[in-house]
């Protein structure tokens, strides 16, 4: 429709475009590693694209990928919204990599359903074990030290393999496990219903403790533009993606959950400490150096 704004993604035509949803850097790190192997590729942040768009978002390449975390076996609502707004008419190859902190869930199945609604199919899809960042869940224990290094190293090695197969335009979609998905949803019902579907009011569970120094890191790492600073006080705007970036990156551990302090260890991917994530969101860096 002529009255709809079509947004071209990227400043030049590229061979591959990767669309990424990443709160604390894991999906971004995966995307960067795929980019490193494919070459001639751009990585775009889905929440940023949604904020900039007004109508149809036109895919920037004939070959596109989605990298996003497993949300209790489902797809983050921002990713679902993005796919529904994406003009994929000229897309001929679609791939996806889904990092999952726990069970692999049913994310690829849900993605396939969304793509079928667009008249497209998922050519290549993989799960890979990552680090759970959903710190507000009762079962969350955090992962750090040598265990975290082992998990991330194994994930990075798998991603290199997957990227090589994507470069060759392989056709393969890993099977989702309905049993694991059902068990995880059953055991995590109270948490999963907070993140599957509309998450905009999820920040109503959050608060600010006296530890807050008003540094503004929470505002800068929030890709949903959900936090405004009233002087030195963060104010939540009820546009939350429930990605945990504000909580995980806060240097003072000052964000409360249901009026309680979260004493559990924080997590951000080592490729993306707070300042690098902020720089990426603000567009100050393109392809960051990779670390193990």
């Amino acid at each position: 429709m002529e009255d709809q704004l079509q947004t071209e993604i990227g400043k030049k035509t590229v061979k591959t475009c990767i669309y990424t949803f990443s709160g604390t850097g894991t999906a971004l790190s995966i995307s960067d590693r795929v980019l490193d192997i494919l070459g001639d590729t751009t990585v775009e942040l889905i929440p940023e694209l949604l904020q900039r768009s007004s109508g149809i978002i036109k895919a920037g390449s004939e070959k596109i990928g989605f990298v996003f975390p497993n949300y209790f076996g489902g797809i983050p609502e921002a990713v679902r919204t993005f796919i529904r707004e994406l003009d994929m008419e000229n897309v001929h190859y679609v791939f996806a990599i889904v990092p999952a902190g726990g069970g692999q869930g049913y994310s690829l199945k849900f993605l396939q359903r969304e793509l079928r609604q667009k008249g497209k199919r998922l050519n290549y899809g993989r799960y890979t074990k990552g680090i759970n960042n959903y710190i507000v869940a009762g079962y969350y224990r955090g992962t750090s030290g040598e265990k975290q290094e082992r998990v991330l190293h194994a994930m990075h090695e798998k991603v290199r393999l997957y990227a090589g197969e994507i470069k060759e335009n392989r056709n393969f979609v890993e099977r989702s496990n309905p049993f694991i998905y059902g068990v995880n949803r059953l055991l995590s019902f109270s948490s999963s219903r907070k993140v599957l579907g509309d998450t905009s009011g999820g920040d109503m569970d959050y608060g600010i403790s006296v530890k807050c120094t008003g540094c503004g890191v929470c505002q800068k790492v929030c890709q949903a533009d959900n936090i405004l600073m009233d002087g030195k006080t963060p104010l939540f705007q009820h546009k939350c993606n429930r990605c945990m970036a504000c909580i995980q990156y806060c240097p003072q551990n000052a964000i409360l959950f249901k009026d309680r302090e979260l004493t559990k260890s924080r997590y951000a991917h080592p490729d993306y400490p707070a300042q690098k994530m902020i720089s990426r969101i603000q567009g100050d860096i393109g392809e960051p150096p990779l670390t193990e």
Side-chain angles (χ1 to χ4, degrees):
M1 295 176 62
E2 293 183 357
D3 61 342
Q4 289 181 308
L5 174 64
Q6 291 195 346
T7 305
E8 292 285 352
I9 305 305
K11 297 180 181 179
K12 63 184 181 68
T13 301
V14 292
K15 186 175 180 181
T16 307
C17 189
I18 303 174
Y19 301 112
T20 305
F21 180 88
S22 185
T24 51
T26 297
L28 255 176
S29 176
I30 290 172
S31 300
D32 293 337
R33 284 172 162 77
V34 174
L35 176 154
D36 191 50
I37 290 176
L38 297 186
D40 195 15
T41 298
T42 186
V43 174
E44 303 282 354
L45 295 172
I46 287 174
E48 294 286 300
L49 295 177
L50 285 173
Q51 283 196 67
R52 296 204 309 262
S53 76
S54 177
I56 298 172
I57 303 173
K58 188 172 179 61
S61 174
E62 294 182 355
K63 182 175 183 175
I64 67 171
F66 299 98
V67 182
F68 57 86
N70 164 43
Y71 262 31
F72 291 96
I75 299 177
E77 187 62 20
V79 177
R80 192 189 311 275
T81 299
F82 176 77
I83 293 172
R84 292 177 180 181
E85 293 189 12
L86 187 63
D87 178 357
M88 301 175 64
E89 181 180 359
N90 296 319
V91 172
H92 300 300
Y93 185 89
V94 183
F95 65 90
I97 301 177
V98 179
Q104 65 191 46
Y106 229 55
S107 303
L108 292 177
K109 278 290 186 183
F110 287 124
L111 177 59
Q112 288 175 302
R113 292 177 188 177
E114 292 295 328
L115 292 174
R116 281 198 293 269
Q117 294 296 317
K118 310 283 290 190
K120 300 294 178 180
R121 72 184 184 96
L122 181 63
N123 299 89
Y124 185 93
R126 289 281 198 174
Y127 296 102
T128 182
K129 182 174 176 55
I131 303 292
N132 180 13
N133 85 335
Y134 199 63
I135 190 172
V136 300
Y139 57 79
Y140 180 93
R141 294 295 178 266
T143 305
S144 59
E146 292 184 4
K147 181 178 179 181
Q148 177 176 298
E149 291 179 7
R150 288 196 304 271
V151 171
L152 292 180
H153 178 74
M155 181 185 75
H156 297 158
E157 289 300 308
K158 282 190 174 182
V159 168
R160 288 189 182 97
L161 171 64
Y162 300 162
E165 294 177 338
I166 292 166
K167 188 172 185 178
E168 296 173 354
N169 295 328
R170 296 275 189 92
N171 285 277
F172 175 82
V173 178
E174 187 172 345
R175 293 184 63 181
S176 298
N177 190 317
F179 177 75
I180 293 177
Y181 169 62
V183 170
N184 284 344
R185 288 292 304 276
L186 180 64
L187 296 178
S188 308
F189 176 75
S190 61
S191 295
S192 63
R193 65 189 179 90
K194 290 278 190 177
V195 299
L196 295 174
D198 184 6
T199 60
S200 57
D203 56 18
M204 296 181 70
D205 289 328
Y206 302 162
I208 305 298
S209 80
V210 294
K211 293 180 179 180
C212 178
T213 62
C215 68
V217 167
C218 59
Q219 179 192 39
K220 294 173 184 175
V221 299
C222 179
Q223 297 173 49
D225 195 26
N226 186 48
I227 301 174
L228 296 179
M229 298 299 294
D230 182 10
K232 288 194 171 184
T233 303
L235 299 177
F236 297 101
Q237 303 301 301
H238 312 314
K239 298 184 289 182
C240 185
N241 281 328
R242 204 76 169 186
C243 73
M244 302 291 110
C246 59
I247 296 176
Q248 297 283 16
Y249 280 115
C250 174
Q252 305 300 324
N253 296 347
I255 297 181
L256 305 173
F257 182 69
K258 295 184 177 179
D259 298 324
R260 299 191 302 272
E261 288 191 11
L262 293 165
T263 59
K264 305 167 186 176
S265 62
R266 270 38 176 186
Y267 166 77
H269 192 283
D271 282 358
Y272 281 96
Q275 192 52 56
K276 186 175 287 186
M277 177 62 82
I278 291 168
S279 296
R280 190 65 179 264
I281 292 170
Q282 294 176 346
D284 296 335
I285 59 175
E287 302 172 18
L290 302 180
T291 63
E292 277 302 320

